[in-house]
Amino acid sequence: MKSKVTDWRAVSLSFFDTLSYCALFVVVWLVACLPFRALYVLSDIIYIPFYYVVRYRRKIVRRNLTGSFPDKNEAEIVGIEKRFYRFFVDMSLESCKLMTISKDEMRGRMKFTGTDVARKFIEEGKSVSVYLGHYGNWEWESSTGLWFREGTVMEVYRKLRNRVVNRLMSRLRRRMGNIYVNMHDTARFMASAARDGRYYACGLLADQSPKRKDAKVFIPFLNRSVPVITGTERVTKRYGHAAMFIRVRRVRRGYYEGDFIPLHEDPASLPDYELTRLYFQQLEAEIQRQPELYLWTHRRFKYARPL
């Protein structure tokens, strides 16, 4: 009897997940069908209740900003905070456009330079670890595959807790031609590629916070010493990748530029965690330039220590 009850619950959960997915799909599709001008009118309307009424993670954002920019006064912090929430709504709606936007239009709105350097590495038989951050529209940055030969861009992703959202985002991201690999399968994929002599560019979102039990290596970042994930550096060195960083700039609403810049041609020759330090150094420089483009709602500093 117990097993029958368990099976029934499993079937029901799957059924309701499917209903939720269909409902979410319709909402995202309706947003995606809007022309960009109407999309930003909608964003301006949503911003007001989102910031002033819903107050989504406002305390976390304020704490993150205050700790990151101790030299700024309250008015400056609030200014960055408001610009961030405006951008956050913009980016969320822009991400919906992944459902319908053509590849040609995406190439016009998310431009990349420096890809010739990465392609040269690949052509010479050397894979490239491309370090990214939660900065700018990182969902649109999944369009890097449009700037490379098909099948030569792989992105590592962390599975979202919400199964419905995870399923939809997986569908949207794959439209731009990248190969997506679960973070837990990264080493297996790289080992298989190395055996088969396949070379590629691998996108790594490396600014995520590790679990408390894994918080063993700390790097200076935004006025704190923060714990970092070290798996990205380990696989980069183990499989002999070159390392690059994408420097992102928001030109204006709906238009971004990403520049591939070298971090190090031979990371295996660096001391432990030096590559990670170089990455966070580049990311901090980006944030200092346009702080509103970073994901301040992220609990990035929950295990941080004072410098």
Side-chain angles (χ1 to χ4, degrees):
M1 179 64 70
K2 184 176 180 179
S3 63
K4 289 183 179 180
V5 172
T6 303
D7 291 344
W8 180 86
R9 287 176 177 173
V11 171
S12 297
L13 186 60
S14 176
F15 173 72
F16 286 117
D17 275 355
T18 302
L19 284 181
S20 300
Y21 175 81
C22 292
L24 181 61
F25 183 94
V26 170
V27 171
V28 172
W29 180 80
L30 289 172
V31 172
C33 289
L34 293 174
F36 273 96
R37 183 173 295 182
L39 191 82
Y40 293 123
V41 170
L42 177 63
S43 179
D44 289 339
I45 293 170
I46 291 174
Y47 161 74
I48 296 173
F50 188 70
Y51 180 76
Y52 291 101
V53 181
V54 178
R55 300 172 67 89
Y56 175 69
R57 294 194 172 187
R58 278 271 296 273
K59 289 182 179 179
I60 294 172
V61 172
R62 182 68 60 88
R63 184 166 61 246
N64 285 345
L65 287 171
T66 302
S68 298
F69 306 107
D71 57 326
K72 296 188 183 298
N73 59 39
E74 184 178 358
E76 290 173 312
I77 293 294
V78 172
I80 296 172
E81 181 181 272
K82 289 182 177 180
R83 292 197 302 275
F84 160 71
Y85 276 99
R86 283 190 179 277
F87 169 70
F88 185 78
V89 178
D90 275 4
M91 190 204 71
S92 300
L93 297 181
E94 286 171 356
S95 298
C96 294
K97 294 290 285 186
L98 284 172
M99 183 175 284
T100 58
I101 193 169
S102 70
K103 293 180 179 180
D104 285 341
E105 185 173 11
M106 178 57 78
R107 281 177 62 95
R109 289 180 173 272
M110 182 75 238
K111 295 182 178 180
F112 291 98
T113 58
T115 55
D116 55 323
V117 180
R119 287 195 298 267
K120 189 171 184 291
F121 278 127
I122 295 170
E123 289 165 3
E124 293 175 350
K126 193 179 188 71
S127 293
V128 184
S129 287
V130 183
Y131 281 72
L132 310 161
H134 287 90
Y135 183 85
N137 192 329
W138 59 90
E139 295 295 350
W140 276 19
E141 287 171 45
S142 66
S143 65
T144 47
L146 301 179
W147 299 76
F148 289 80
R149 184 165 50 84
E150 186 177 355
T152 57
V153 176
M154 181 269 274
E155 282 202 35
V156 177
Y157 73 93
R158 175 181 284 182
K159 189 175 180 180
L160 301 174
R161 292 181 181 179
N162 187 302
R163 289 179 294 181
V164 173
V165 177
N166 183 73
R167 179 181 169 189
L168 182 61
M169 290 309 300
S170 295
R171 176 173 182 160
L172 299 189
R173 290 166 178 166
R174 283 177 168 80
R175 285 194 69 235
M176 294 297 122
N178 291 359
I179 301 167
Y180 277 86
V181 177
N182 189 297
M183 62 181 294
H184 300 297
D185 299 323
T186 305
R188 188 180 301 112
F189 176 91
M190 290 183 176
S192 174
R195 283 195 306 269
D196 299 340
R198 290 182 286 122
Y199 304 101
Y200 52 89
C202 171
L204 300 164
L205 270 168
D207 61 335
Q208 295 164 327
S209 184
K211 296 178 181 178
R212 184 187 290 273
K213 65 182 178 64
D214 298 323
K216 298 173 182 177
V217 179
F218 286 73
I219 299 288
F221 180 58
L222 290 173
N223 196 47
R224 304 171 181 85
S225 183
V226 300
V228 296
I229 56 175
T230 57
T232 51
E233 178 172 322
R234 285 200 305 272
V235 295
T236 296
K237 289 183 172 183
R238 180 175 180 180
Y239 296 103
H241 292 192
M244 302 190 76
F245 174 79
I246 297 185
R247 180 186 292 154
V248 179
R249 184 169 71 95
R250 192 190 196 201
V251 181
R252 63 183 189 275
R253 269 181 153 178
Y255 291 89
Y256 301 83
E257 292 178 353
D259 186 18
F260 280 66
I261 62 171
L263 280 179
H264 204 276
E265 186 171 335
D266 184 21
S269 67
L270 295 174
D272 286 347
Y273 316 124
E274 177 64 13
L275 179 62
T276 304
R277 187 191 66 79
L278 290 173
Y279 160 68
F280 274 98
Q281 192 176 65
Q282 290 286 349
L283 181 59
E284 179 167 343
E286 291 296 278
I287 294 169
Q288 294 287 356
R289 185 168 51 83
Q290 283 185 289
E292 65 272 15
L293 302 189
Y294 192 55
L295 184 61
W296 296 107
T297 54
H298 186 33
R299 300 179 192 272
R300 181 66 192 83
F301 306 101
K302 57 185 174 182
Y303 303 133
R305 301 169 179 171
L307 280 177

